[in-house]
Amino acid sequence: MKVLVGDPGKCKLVHACEAACAKVLHKKTGRPHAAIRVDPVEGQPRFQVCNQCGECITVCPTGALTRAKSGIVLLKKDLCVACYMCVGFCPSLSMVRAEGVLPPFKCISCGQCVKACPEKALSLVEQPHEGLPS
Amino acid sequence: MITVNGDPLEHEEGLTVQGILEAKNYKFPLLIAFVNGKLVKREDYRTTVVPDGAVVQITHLMGGG
Amino acid sequence: MAYDYTKRTDLKGDVDKQKQAHKVLKEITFKPALPQRGYNDRTLYVNLTDLTIEERPVTQQMKDKFIGGRGFGLWFLWNATQASTRWNDPENELIIAPGPLAGNTQYPGSGKSLVVTLSPMTDIPIDCNVGGYFGPLMKFCGFDALEIQGKAARDVILVIDGPKGRIAIEEAPLENVDSHVAAEVFTHQYADDEKDLPNVSVVSAGRAADHTRIGCLNFSWYDLRRKATRLKQAGRGGTGTVFRDKKLKALVVHGFPVKGDQNNPADLERIARIGVKMHKELHDFDDSQCHMRRQGTAHLVEIMDAYDLLPVHNFQYGNHPDTPRINSQVWDKRFTQGIPDGCWYGCSMACSKGADEHQVMTGPYRGHSNTVDGPEYETAAGVGANCGIFDPDWLLECNFYCDVYGIDTISFGTLCAFCMECWQRGILNAERTGGLEIKFGSGPAQLELMHQMAEGRGFGLIAGQGVARMKKIFAEKGWGEAQLLNDIGMEVKGLEFSQYMSKESLAQQGGYSLTNKGPQHDEAWLIFMDMVNKQIPTFEDKAEALFYFPIFRTWFGLNGLCKLPWNDIEPADNARTPEPAKVPEHVQNYCELFAGITGREIDRHELLRMSRGVYNFQRVFNLRQGKGQRAHDRPPYRAVGPVTVEEYTSRAERYDKQLKEILGVDPAGKSVEEKMALTREHREAQYEKLMDAVYKRRGWTPNGVPTLETLKEVGMDFPELVAVVEQHL
Ligand code: SF4
Ligand code: SF4
């Protein structure tokens, strides 16, 4: 599976990734609608984004969260009851929700932010997903 | 001698909050411990040494029920 | 252990064929609707005698005074019945009502239905708080409550089908009444397809509810992971007995797919915020606090044992060396882990554990492999420790059949323990029980008693009447001394005790006996505050706790919420708050949840005021039915102190010390009998003083009757209530 990985050494905190993501997911511009968030923590940029670990799959009561063949964890909106348990149980706080949007959302490894980043700080890295919750 | 929730308990050198819980068989998970009026955090139970003569309050919250 | 938890014995049979045998007796169409800000302002009334099905409006006064859930249930029941009405009169109603907050999917523990009826055990109203999807799905079809009155001539089902806009009473002759079969069959009959299964919920009882007074109701939900219907119980007080007396085989609701905003809440953001906060709290702390997500309430077994509070041998003792055989580590392994076991969407406390692949050992389902829902603490303690049975397989077997047959595990555990003690003391013997050797520790005997109840034969018919009636029957037959039977028969108001030892906690004796419906721990659980922490030493302190907690906890039932997420998880800084036992941050969450859904801002004082009205209303209701006075609030002595020499001796050090320190009596040279008599006199006097203090704090007369000023203060001075109270002033 392709996992989005950030390089804190290259990131200059321009937040272009957030804007690109909000556009893809919600046709919005603001950071609240983005599934990736970059913040400085102790002087270093920190990327808060889904690592496709699949913990959320096991807490979802409706089967709305599944791992696709590609390995990416996907949310089927029509099955989601907006309970937000996945939000509270995401180990990396990468399942998020935004005001006015009922289902939560997460990174789907689409790569738009990778293209948008002027510093080339983001990349999609191939990682194995055997043994992870599905 | 110290008192725990008003009852006397023999003091011994190096007695910790955790030691008190074991001596009293306090197995309930939702506890709040005060030693001489000062709150002791759960993660410090094993390292907090209780002096002789201390007044200890171990409050059990409810749960269950 | 690797096993396939979707595999179990299939019991459905040909569901279509069974459905074809239905005969529609009455059918209406209705317009499904969604609630606005938590209320539909519409309820459903059904009369099984004359086949009435009608919609009724909810008034503003009902919402103001009774809120919803248990409040609505009590109000309907009050209006439908009279002082002389008994449980099996056709006018008795069975009411199922979620509350205004029920059905939200964001806050843990928000899917409860409240069941209210006149109890066959107590002759006064019983209220049960039960999970499963029925209440919320019904609410999202457009009804705030379901009122069922009358009796059918033959076995019927009631179907509420939202997507089809149809409500019907149908004769259903072929289906099995036993709950695990009924839930499965009716769910498959009324779901459109596999995807639709979670949108159906069934209420059913079981064959033992036909022959006993301790029948319970099972509320189902479809478990997607296990591919099976799961069950939650409205256990106490004989709700299932009333259900079967009305010739109801099942209630079926077929709802719409659930979405996260169907309550049309005033402020979804606000609810989402506190919901996420709670999920996070459970994620962060449950593993180091109560392990509810892995073990459910069964985590309490060894804790209660450690504090001498686990009832053993009919509440004689508080611990047992064999407890490790049924403790939480055992259940942790038996329960299938890693499944979202919430009894409604969004419950991240997820305590509704399931033990898969139980191989049924006895009775009609012997040889089947099945999922057992539970055991919860009450079941493990009641049918296990209290009966001296420390074998997890027998415990699961008993739990399984209680649910299947529609029997309350708590009453069953307590009455079975009573029978076993009667056997121990020679009050019962093989001749009197028809050969059933009902001895402490015997799992097979316990199950045999259960099967007798299901088949309506033998000693099962007597035991199924409950402890209160058994005491009378045994005494009348001259099998035992009335005094001893009364001392060891663990019931108040006709209802069996739930499974905690109250002997060493005066406050909890009140917590059990000064309740509205009978000795159930859901009003107040004060043992730690009282006995271990010594936080409430004076009568006034205890009275304050017995004022606050019952009122506060009533609120869950008015709104359709579960109590567990209130204090079985604790925020990080709870210890630093002035009153940690109240879990102030969670109380604030509830105020916000209420405001977020209904749009009405409340604070913790207003929250109490809402409950206090209904609580006093229920007390007056009891009064109208001939109970609700001081004489009905006294516990059996077993709940208060040592009844027998063995009990005294088992805790001699403690009792001797109390004689010396509290009564100033030197125990040396006194016989055990003398010391027991002194202890008893003292403890009974203490309890009387406790009653005085509690009644005073609650604004009741020394006879336990709410005064006119109290009724006025809590907004319950309706003329009809005043009239009832005036007869007792
Ligand atoms: S919010 Fe939706 S996706 Fe997340 S756990 Fe709940 S139902 Fe599943
Ligand atoms: S805590 Fe347990 S009983 Fe309460 S709502 Fe959640 S799953 Fe149901």
Side-chain angles (χ1 to χ4, degrees):
Chain A
M1 68 185 172
K2 287 201 162 38
V3 177
L4 185 70
V5 180
D7 182 345
K10 289 186 183 160
C11 175
K12 298 252 160 44
L13 289 166
V14 291
H15 302 288
C17 53
E18 293 170 1
C21 185
K23 189 148 173 247
V24 173
L25 293 180
H26 300 289
K27 300 196 176 62
K28 294 253 163 86
T29 47
R31 160 191 173 117
H33 289 87
I36 179 169
R37 294 177 192 186
V38 192
D39 285 298
V41 175
E42 288 162 8
Q44 283 280 314
R46 199 196 57 190
F47 301 88
Q48 193 173 312
V49 69
C50 172
N51 61 9
Q52 316 297 341
C53 75
E55 281 301 310
C56 56
I57 298 173
T58 63
V59 302
C60 177
T62 67
L65 288 161
T66 50
R67 193 179 291 280
K69 271 212 188 69
S70 64
I72 300 304
V73 178
L74 295 178
L75 190 153
K76 296 184 186 138
K77 287 186 198 165
D78 58 329
L79 291 180
C80 174
V81 297
C83 70
Y84 307 136
M85 293 203 289
C86 53
V87 177
F89 277 71
C90 173
S92 62
L93 305 180
S94 307
M95 179 72 82
V96 289
R97 57 174 304 279
E99 209 169 315
V101 186
L102 205 51
F105 50 92
K106 64 181 283 299
C107 168
I108 50 172
S109 290
C110 72
Q112 289 305 311
C113 56
V114 177
K115 284 188 203 149
C117 177
E119 307 297 330
K120 306 252 174 304
L122 292 163
S123 50
L124 283 169
V125 178
E126 188 64 37
Q127 280 178 11
H129 60 269
E130 284 78 49
L132 294 177
S134 61
Chain B
M1 197 68 76
I2 61 171
T3 67
V4 180
N5 293 355
D7 292 334
L9 182 78
E10 205 64 57
H11 183 263
E12 53 188 74
E13 209 38 50
L15 180 69
T16 61
V17 173
Q18 184 63 29
I20 295 174
L21 301 188
E22 279 157 23
K24 300 286 287 184
N25 204 19
Y26 283 171
K27 292 200 171 153
F28 191 62
L30 298 181
L31 296 177
I32 301 175
F34 290 94
V35 176
N36 291 328
K38 243 190 95 188
L39 180 73
V40 181
K41 284 202 268 176
R42 230 160 257 166
E43 49 271 32
D44 299 333
Y45 286 177
R46 284 176 193 284
T47 51
T48 305
V49 176
V50 180
D52 198 6
V55 176
V56 180
Q57 175 71 31
I58 312 270
T59 299
H60 293 56
L61 294 184
M62 279 181 296
Chain C
M1 193 175 25
Y3 54 83
D4 182 354
Y5 53 71
T6 65
K7 283 228 161 70
R8 59 188 55 73
T9 305
D10 180 52
L11 298 158
K12 293 193 297 293
D14 188 338
V15 294
D16 293 333
K17 195 171 138 217
Q18 296 175 68
K19 193 174 182 185
Q20 275 152 25
H22 290 189
K23 188 175 140 206
V24 177
L25 300 180
K26 178 75 186 273
E27 172 170 44
I28 66 156
T29 55
F30 80 106
K31 235 176 116 218
L34 284 175
Q36 292 298 323
R37 300 189 165 197
Y39 286 102
N40 285 290
D41 291 343
R42 169 171 77 162
T43 64
L44 182 63
Y45 170 85
V46 174
N47 190 310
L48 297 171
T49 307
D50 61 16
L51 303 177
T52 307
I53 304 177
E54 73 189 23
E55 298 178 7
R56 291 186 173 174
V58 171
T59 63
Q60 189 59 41
Q61 188 194 40
M62 278 170 67
K63 293 199 276 188
D64 291 344
K65 303 272 183 192
F66 296 96
I67 317 300
R70 170 174 160 193
F72 278 12
L74 289 165
W75 177 237
F76 288 140
L77 190 62
W78 170 274
N79 290 319
T81 60
Q82 302 164 17
S84 57
T85 308
R86 289 296 169 261
W87 67 278
N88 52 359
D89 289 326
E91 60 266 32
N92 186 21
E93 289 196 341
L94 186 90
I95 300 123
I96 298 176
L101 309 190
N104 86 73
T105 56
Q106 289 82 30
Y107 200 84
S110 294
K112 296 292 190 173
S113 303
L114 279 293
V115 182
V116 179
T117 191
L118 282 179
S119 159
M121 315 285 302
T122 63
D123 292 332
I124 54 177
I126 186 83
D127 57 275
C128 299
N129 183 325
V130 57
Y133 291 1
F134 189 89
L137 290 180
M138 174 179 83
K139 188 177 171 188
F140 298 146
C141 284
F143 301 105
D144 291 333
L146 166 64
E147 243 181 301
I148 305 173
Q149 202 173 27
K151 284 192 202 190
R154 276 176 290 275
D155 275 354
V156 295
I157 63 171
L158 174 74
V159 182
I160 303 170
D161 195 320
K164 298 195 171 59
R166 168 181 186 265
I167 299 170
I169 302 169
E170 302 179 359
E171 260 179 31
L174 297 185
E175 289 87 350
N176 189 336
V177 291
D178 288 348
S179 267
H180 69 317
V181 186
E184 192 78 11
V185 169
F186 289 115
T187 299
H188 281 83
Q189 280 182 357
Y190 288 89
D192 293 339
D193 52 30
E194 172 126 12
K195 255 188 22 233
D196 198 29
L197 290 166
N199 305 324
V200 178
S201 174
V202 177
V203 178
S204 55
R207 65 181 89 167
D210 293 10
H211 309 295
T212 66
R213 288 174 189 262
I214 57 170
C216 75
L217 290 176
N218 288 285
F219 281 53
S220 79
W221 85 95
Y222 190 77
D223 182 332
L224 277 170
R225 301 298 208 287
R226 289 183 171 86
K227 300 194 188 307
T229 41
R230 306 279 311 280
L231 304 173
K232 271 280 194 182
Q233 294 74 36
R236 310 293 341 254
T239 56
T241 304
V242 174
F243 189 85
R244 291 297 297 145
D245 183 63
K246 295 191 175 305
K247 288 267 185 327
L248 277 166
K249 192 175 260 183
L251 311 173
V252 184
V253 65
H254 177 214
F256 298 90
V258 173
K259 296 283 161 219
D261 56 357
Q262 281 162 322
N263 268 315
N264 286 305
D267 185 351
L268 184 75
E269 285 311 308
R270 202 162 166 190
I271 309 166
R273 200 162 55 237
I274 51 170
V276 169
K277 185 178 77 171
M278 281 300 287
H279 298 325
K280 184 91 179 52
E281 210 169 291
L282 277 149
H283 170 268
D284 291 351
F285 304 128
D286 184 55
D287 284 344
S288 60
Q289 292 181 10
C290 293
H291 311 280
M292 293 293 282
R293 291 176 53 81
R294 292 187 65 89
Q295 300 160 359
T297 55
H299 78 275
L300 288 167
V301 174
E302 63 266 33
I303 292 167
M304 292 304 140
D305 187 86
Y307 291 84
D308 208 13
L309 295 170
L310 181 74
V312 170
H313 292 176
N314 193 32
F315 300 88
Q316 293 183 69
Y317 312 109
N319 61 67
H320 196 280
D322 288 338
T323 299
R325 296 177 57 200
I326 57 164
N327 75 8
S328 67
Q329 278 141 45
V330 175
W331 303 120
D332 196 283
K333 289 197 202 90
R334 290 281 176 121
F335 296 151
T336 302
Q337 299 294 346
I339 291 184
D341 280 322
C343 68
W344 174 243
Y345 300 104
C347 189
S348 44
M349 186 152 256
C351 82
S352 303
K353 311 317 294 178
D356 293 298
E357 290 208 320
H358 171 66
Q359 308 297 318
V360 183
M361 300 182 282
T362 66
Y365 303 106
R366 180 197 321 220
H368 287 183
S369 170
N370 249 294
T371 300
V372 182
D373 294 286
E376 300 178 25
Y377 165 76
E378 293 291 332
T379 307
V383 307
N386 214 1
C387 294
I389 299 168
F390 294 89
D391 180 325
D393 290 312
W394 282 108
L395 225 153
L396 284 173
E397 180 86 357
C398 188
N399 194 156
F400 172 73
Y401 271 114
C402 276
D403 296 350
V404 165
Y405 286 159
I407 287 184
D408 170 22
T409 59
I410 297 180
S411 277
F412 181 80
T414 299
L415 72 80
C416 186
F418 171 74
C419 292
M420 288 172 165
E421 185 173 354
C422 286
W423 182 281
Q424 177 197 348
R425 304 198 182 283
I427 297 166
L428 290 177
N429 53 43
E431 196 192 314
R432 291 171 181 173
T433 63
L436 179 68
E437 301 207 358
I438 189 82
K439 290 179 188 159
F440 280 124
S442 174
Q446 184 183 62
L447 263 294
E448 173 57 21
L449 180 64
M450 169 100 61
H451 295 310
Q452 288 185 0
M453 288 181 179
E455 289 157 27
R457 65 177 167 87
F459 186 67
L461 275 176
I462 298 174
Q465 299 299 303
V467 170
R469 287 172 178 82
M470 271 195 282
K471 288 192 309 194
K472 261 220 185 112
I473 296 168
F474 296 177
E476 274 163 20
K477 291 188 190 263
W479 292 353
E481 293 286 320
Q483 161 98 40
L484 179 67
L485 287 164
N486 283 327
D487 282 352
I488 66 172
M490 289 293 280
E491 58 87 17
V492 177
K493 302 179 178 73
L495 187 71
E496 284 78 15
F497 271 70
S498 70
Q499 311 299 338
Y500 296 98
M501 291 278 287
S502 57
K503 256 181 241 184
E504 309 311 329
S505 166
L506 180 57
Q508 187 57 26
Q509 291 158 26
Y512 267 137
S513 305
L514 301 173
T515 45
N516 269 326
K517 66 170 162 256
Q520 168 74 353
H521 55 279
D522 68 343
E523 279 201 11
W525 199 92
L526 304 173
I527 304 184
F528 284 158
M529 278 184 102
D530 188 33
M531 178 184 107
V532 187
N533 307 337
K534 309 210 171 77
Q535 285 171 301
I536 45 175
T538 67
F539 285 106
E540 285 67 34
D541 296 334
K542 293 183 209 300
E544 183 59 34
L546 284 165
F547 170 77
Y548 176 83
F549 288 104
I551 301 284
F552 172 71
R553 292 168 74 138
T554 293
W555 197 79
F556 295 118
L558 304 184
N559 286 290
L561 300 179
C562 176
K563 166 262 154 196
L564 296 173
W566 162 53
N567 71 347
D568 281 62
I569 183 78
E570 194 196 299
D573 61 354
N574 192 43
R576 293 174 197 282
T577 59
E579 292 183 289
K582 294 182 178 173
V583 202
E585 184 178 319
H586 289 176
V587 176
Q588 182 55 31
N589 287 353
Y590 289 116
C591 294
E592 298 217 18
L593 186 62
F594 190 85
I597 292 177
T598 67
R600 186 180 143 209
E601 295 294 332
I602 60 166
D603 62 10
R604 64 197 162 91
H605 305 291
E606 175 60 13
L607 183 156
L608 288 186
R609 198 205 56 77
M610 293 157 92
S611 305
R612 210 176 153 211
V614 178
Y615 193 84
N616 278 278
F617 176 78
Q618 192 166 352
R619 182 74 178 181
V620 177
F621 200 151
N622 286 353
L623 205 56
R624 191 186 81 174
Q625 303 313 113
K627 289 196 176 166
Q629 296 168 60
R630 193 174 179 111
H632 311 107
D633 286 348
R634 288 198 181 92
Y637 188 58
R638 175 59 60 72
V640 175
V643 173
T644 63
V645 171
E646 308 94 270
E647 273 169 275
Y648 190 97
T649 316
S650 74
R651 293 172 166 176
E653 203 185 323
R654 173 181 332 187
Y655 296 138
D656 281 354
K657 193 167 152 226
Q658 287 174 356
L659 282 180
K660 201 144 98 207
E661 287 175 3
I662 303 170
L663 295 181
V665 175
D666 185 1
K670 291 218 162 17
S671 71
V672 176
E673 285 78 4
E674 284 170 322
K675 293 191 287 187
M676 279 166 60
L678 284 166
T679 302
R680 182 166 189 154
E681 196 188 326
H682 170 65
R683 290 192 172 205
E684 289 184 337
Q686 294 282 101
Y687 185 80
E688 295 296 320
K689 284 191 199 154
L690 179 76
M691 285 208 274
D692 291 337
V694 172
Y695 289 163
K696 188 164 162 235
R697 179 64 185 91
R698 289 183 180 175
W700 298 355
T701 69
N703 191 28
V705 178
T707 63
L708 293 177
E709 297 79 67
T710 302
L711 288 188
K712 200 161 174 159
E713 191 191 329
V714 303
M716 282 290 164
D717 50 344
F718 299 138
E720 46 195 310
L721 272 77
V722 169
V724 170
V725 162
E726 272 174 342
Q727 293 167 25
H728 297 277
L729 293 178

